[in-house]
Amino acid sequence: MTSENKEDSAPESIFEKGEVTDSKYAHGPVEDRSCTDIICCLVFVAFIAGMVYVTCVAFTKGEPVRLLAPYASDNQQCGFDSHKSEDYLFIPRLMDMSLNVKIFEKTSCVSECPSSDKGNFHNSPPYNSEPFFGRYCLPNAKDAIKKFFDAAGADKVGQYLSDLYSAWKVLLLAILFGFVFSLVYMVLVRCCAKVLVWVTLLAFIVLLAVMGYLFFKEYRDAVDEGDELNYLVLAILFWSFDGLFLLMIFCCYDDIQTALAVITAAARFVFSNFFILLVPIIAIIVTCAYIAYWIATIVFIYSIGDKTQYNNTPFSSVEWDSTTNNLWYYQLVALVWIIAFFISVLQFVIAATAAQWYFSSNSDQSGSGSLCKSLYWAVRYHLGSLGFGSLILTIVVFVRFIFEYMKKKVEKGGPSNKFTKCLLSCASCCLKCIGECILFLTKNAYIQVKYFVTDR
């Protein structure tokens, strides 16, 4: 496609006819921009400031170290108060494999874990042990450790962590294989996209025809009349669907050709701007860093309050006040909103870079797109638009979450009612459809934002 043809067709391919008459949009994203959705930008910045305040309160008032400190039988925490120099909890009955024994009934704080099973240790029979989590003296025996986790109610968590630790190499190889497979697929799409698609469509048509023929052959060889009817119906269905699919291909031929051109252009864009592949990786790293910060903040928030011993076990429980509850809910909203914002920025940067490349390329030379410029546009001019779009997604996520929570409550609370279940399932399906529609609209709205320089 030449640059002249591209200039003539670009406005109509992006905007509906008659909607945009300004010729400055005919050459792609403009450089002279202005801020969009300023009010939303101020709201988003205020929310970020609120996150900073919540973080300061959490790290100032939170005591996660004390929350992790175990309680001994005298209701005192190891490492604090009267046991300030004794950081470890020794559990004498842990080696007793008898059923129904209360292993946390007689425990004591110690300054170091016993390394011998001879003699007497704090008026209790000792065993070979080593520090675990920096707080507990646990033996090397697997059965005793499992008994500890069972009594603590964390056996499933330990199993999940153990499985994750054992399978991390396989997971890493799967991620690398997926990345390499994606590159190979893009190479094939760039070189022979039309051939791949048409061969796939032709193979599907032939497959349907062959399946119909096989069922028709079974119909001719069948002895039972019931089997004859079933095989004949299946053969007719496969052939009918095959004919319908072939008719759809003929009717949508131009649309298929357009889709193939778009796919080919997308592959050319990726290979012309190979650094675009780093954008999702960087986004994942930034998201993981934010999640790590969020988890740390949540741990400090969780530890704000009056700490007491939980059900005569070594573990602590915290009683929250209304302030701690508000901080918790604020951070919960922040988790969804900020991650949705990262996704919005990712979509905008990729779309803006692709637009720059497309409108700067012609038949003689390949175009170029600047990731840094796209990111600058997102942060400098369109922070409010991206924040508003991600806020809409956040609201949808919480509405669906609240509905699913209430649905589970209704299903568990009363007798099974098929009509009620049907209504709940229909409502859940509608909410999911609405969420997908909003996700589609916001993604396309970001594509429009990269062209417009003012609020529309």
Side-chain angles (χ1 to χ4, degrees):
M1 179 182 290
T2 62
S3 59
E4 290 81 1
N5 293 334
K6 212 183 295 185
E7 291 176 3
D8 294 336
S9 61
E12 293 184 0
S13 63
I14 299 170
F15 312 110
E16 296 181 0
K17 294 181 180 180
E19 182 182 352
V20 177
T21 58
D22 198 337
S23 61
K24 65 181 179 180
Y25 299 120
H27 302 283
V30 296
E31 301 291 335
D32 186 17
R33 293 176 169 262
S34 61
C35 295
T36 57
D37 295 313
I38 298 178
I39 296 178
C40 297
C41 179
L42 295 177
V43 172
F44 185 70
V45 172
F47 183 81
I48 298 296
M51 285 179 56
V52 175
Y53 170 76
V54 170
T55 303
C56 294
V57 173
F59 282 89
T60 301
K61 297 184 178 181
E63 296 179 304
V65 176
R66 185 142 194 164
L67 184 64
L68 296 175
Y71 279 87
S73 299
D74 58 358
N75 296 329
Q76 297 294 321
Q77 285 185 292
C78 299
F80 294 93
D81 303 328
S82 60
H83 299 297
K84 194 170 185 178
S85 60
E86 299 171 330
D87 297 328
Y88 303 103
L89 182 72
F90 178 63
I91 310 171
R93 294 188 176 185
L94 190 58
M95 293 300 291
D96 189 351
M97 293 293 105
S98 302
L99 296 175
N100 300 324
V101 64
K102 296 181 179 180
I103 63 173
F104 297 138
E105 195 171 67
K106 185 184 288 188
T107 59
S108 59
C109 297
V110 296
S111 58
E112 59 181 6
C113 294
S115 57
S116 174
D117 55 1
K118 298 179 180 179
N120 199 337
F121 191 82
H122 281 246
N123 298 322
S124 301
Y127 50 80
N128 276 322
S129 63
E130 57 184 19
F132 197 76
F133 287 144
R135 291 294 179 181
Y136 301 91
C137 296
L138 297 183
N140 295 324
K142 293 183 179 180
D143 292 339
I145 295 178
K146 183 179 184 302
K147 185 177 181 181
F148 171 80
F149 280 110
D150 289 344
D155 54 327
K156 292 294 183 182
V157 177
Q159 181 181 350
Y160 296 151
L161 294 177
S162 176
D163 293 342
L164 184 62
Y165 178 77
S166 302
W168 72 270
K169 293 182 180 179
V170 177
L171 295 175
L172 182 60
L173 286 176
I175 293 173
L176 293 177
F177 176 78
F179 183 74
V180 173
F181 179 79
S182 301
L183 291 179
V184 173
Y185 175 76
M186 282 189 293
V187 171
L188 293 176
V189 167
R190 182 185 180 186
C191 299
C192 50
K194 293 184 178 181
V195 175
L196 284 175
V197 172
W198 285 115
V199 167
T200 302
L201 293 176
L202 180 62
F204 188 67
I205 292 172
V206 173
L207 177 64
L208 291 177
V210 170
M211 291 296 295
Y213 170 76
L214 292 176
F215 280 115
F216 183 76
K217 185 179 179 181
E218 292 292 333
Y219 155 72
R220 296 178 60 182
D221 298 338
V223 178
D224 186 25
E225 293 184 359
D227 292 339
E228 285 184 357
L229 180 61
N230 292 334
Y231 287 132
L232 181 60
V233 169
L234 288 173
I236 294 175
L237 286 176
F238 271 98
W239 282 336
S240 301
F241 186 72
D242 194 18
L244 182 62
F245 185 73
L246 188 61
L247 181 62
M248 290 174 59
I249 291 178
F250 282 124
C251 295
C252 302
Y253 177 81
D254 292 337
D255 294 332
I256 294 174
Q257 290 293 100
T258 302
L260 290 175
V262 172
I263 294 173
T264 305
R268 288 176 51 215
F269 161 69
V270 171
F271 281 95
S272 298
N273 302 268
F274 207 71
F275 285 108
I276 200 71
L277 296 176
L278 297 178
V279 175
I281 298 176
I282 295 174
I284 291 174
I285 294 174
V286 172
T287 303
C288 291
Y290 171 74
I291 292 176
Y293 146 79
W294 184 85
I295 291 175
T297 307
I298 281 295
V299 169
F300 274 86
I301 291 176
Y302 183 82
S303 62
I304 299 176
D306 298 329
K307 300 166 188 63
T308 57
Q309 189 175 6
Y310 178 72
N311 289 342
N312 295 322
T313 65
F315 309 106
S316 302
S317 64
V318 184
E319 295 181 4
W320 287 355
D321 55 13
S322 59
T323 302
T324 307
N325 274 315
N326 294 334
L327 295 177
W328 174 270
Y329 290 129
Y330 194 95
Q331 282 299 95
L332 194 61
V333 174
L335 174 66
V336 181
W337 192 357
I338 299 301
I339 291 180
F341 175 76
F342 288 157
I343 296 174
S344 301
V345 173
L346 173 66
Q347 293 172 346
F348 177 87
V349 168
I350 293 178
T353 306
Q356 295 173 51
W357 170 83
Y358 178 80
F359 285 98
S360 63
S361 62
N362 52 47
S363 58
D364 298 327
Q365 62 180 6
S366 178
S368 61
S370 174
L371 289 172
C372 295
K373 181 186 292 186
S374 301
L375 183 60
Y376 174 75
W377 285 352
V379 177
R380 171 64 178 82
Y381 298 109
H382 307 299
L383 190 66
S385 300
L386 300 176
F388 179 66
S390 55
L391 176 61
I392 294 176
L393 293 178
T394 303
I395 294 173
V396 172
V397 169
F398 275 100
V399 169
R400 289 188 59 188
F401 175 80
I402 294 173
F403 176 81
E404 291 297 331
Y405 176 78
M406 298 300 295
K407 178 182 175 183
K408 295 294 183 183
K409 286 289 186 181
V410 171
E411 290 177 349
K412 292 182 179 179
S416 58
N417 188 312
K418 293 184 178 180
F419 180 72
T420 303
K421 286 184 177 180
C422 180
L423 288 179
L424 291 174
S425 299
C426 291
S428 178
C429 182
C430 291
L431 285 176
K432 186 176 182 179
C433 291
I434 292 173
E436 293 297 328
C437 291
I438 292 177
L439 183 63
F440 175 80
L441 291 175
T442 52
K443 184 185 297 184
N444 285 272
Y446 300 146
I447 296 175
Q448 298 294 318
V449 165
K450 74 176 185 292
Y451 287 101
F452 293 119
V453 296
T454 57
D455 292 329
R456 291 182 64 87

